Amino acid sequence: MDRLLLRTCICGIAVFVLGAGTAYAGSGDGYFYKKQATPIPDGHGKATLKLPATLPNDVDPIVQYVSISVRISHPQTHDLVLRLKRPDFQYMGAPQSGIPRVLTVDDQKTHGKNLGKGPCPSGTPTSVPGRFTTLNDAGGPPYPMMPMATPPLSSGSPPYKGVFRPTEALSGFNGYHAPGSGEPDQEENWTLTVKDKENGHAGSIRCAILYLYRV
């Protein structure tokens, strides 16, 4: 069973919590890891990788920063479209319609093979490997104290190691209210989808790391 790490910062003290498939957090930051070989259908359909993040009902977090890091094996990266979908949590019984459900993180003009390189971590990572492809608006993770503009993925070269700007700003998720005080515990599934829009090449999602900073 895949393991999940969520690091929480409470009163300036970092607390590490390990669990088998679930973890809990208050305000602070968290790494959510899923290692699961997931075939990407060639030229049709899409691959889906769920990144669960279960929160207890005694916290009331609001998302302020999102970063997604991937390790994807594919011989033609320009065939791929990556999207990130947030959970469909209704805060106080109302849909959070002002926060988009899905954002496109990559449909850019890339070339060559693979997003990221090397093996996926065998255990729960405490940081994002620099050899992965990371997409966010402002650098990091962790949460950047001095944000900087990230370059477009198309400016890189395969296997696109490092931090790049997503197609749609992940700050679109900012303000998303996760389950918290007064709400029942429930599993939050953020979902990474990868679509292959051209025939002729097959690949797979190897693993992904979702990083969230909450206030």
Side-chain angles (χ1 to χ4, degrees):
M1 181 179 291
D2 293 321
R3 301 176 70 198
L4 177 70
L5 167 74
L6 190 57
R7 183 182 69 184
T8 67
C9 299
I10 304 174
C11 300
I13 300 174
V15 180
F16 293 86
V17 184
L18 293 176
T22 186
Y24 298 103
S27 62
D29 62 344
Y31 294 88
F32 299 87
Y33 178 58
K34 189 64 173 286
K35 177 183 178 182
Q36 179 177 306
T38 306
I40 302 169
D42 178 21
H44 65 281
K46 61 187 177 183
T48 299
L49 185 67
K50 292 187 179 297
L51 295 152
T54 304
L55 301 173
N57 61 12
D58 60 348
V59 298
D60 204 22
I62 298 173
V63 169
Q64 181 174 311
Y65 171 86
V66 178
S67 180
I68 183 73
S69 303
V70 299
R71 173 68 179 93
I72 294 174
S73 295
H74 198 279
Q76 292 292 345
T77 59
H78 64 74
D79 291 357
L80 305 180
V81 177
L82 279 63
R83 294 188 171 94
L84 183 63
K85 182 179 181 180
R86 68 166 176 83
D88 185 22
F89 173 63
Q90 296 194 2
Y91 178 56
M92 299 184 70
Q96 301 185 62
S97 55
I99 310 296
R101 285 295 312 283
V102 182
L103 291 173
T104 299
V105 294
D106 172 38
D107 63 354
Q108 302 173 53
K109 294 180 179 178
T110 58
H111 64 279
K113 65 179 183 179
N114 297 343
L115 295 175
K117 67 176 294 184
C120 292
S122 57
T124 304
T126 59
S127 62
V128 174
R131 54 189 168 76
F132 277 28
T133 300
T134 295
L135 294 147
N136 62 50
D137 306 339
Y143 180 70
M145 295 299 103
M146 298 181 64
M148 58 182 293
T150 51
L153 189 62
S154 58
S155 70
S157 59
Y160 300 96
K161 298 181 295 180
V163 183
F164 300 92
R165 182 168 68 243
T167 300
E168 294 185 285
L170 289 174
S171 61
F173 289 130
N174 289 3
Y176 166 67
H177 202 297
S181 300
E183 303 290 347
D185 286 7
Q186 63 176 297
E187 184 176 82
E188 282 194 279
N189 283 319
W190 292 71
T191 305
L192 173 69
T193 62
V194 180
K195 180 180 179 180
D196 185 341
K197 62 181 188 284
E198 300 289 343
N199 290 315
H201 301 94
S204 66
I205 305 173
R206 301 279 298 280
C207 59
I209 302 171
L210 174 69
Y211 177 88
L212 301 177
Y213 186 87
R214 296 175 301 277
V215 294

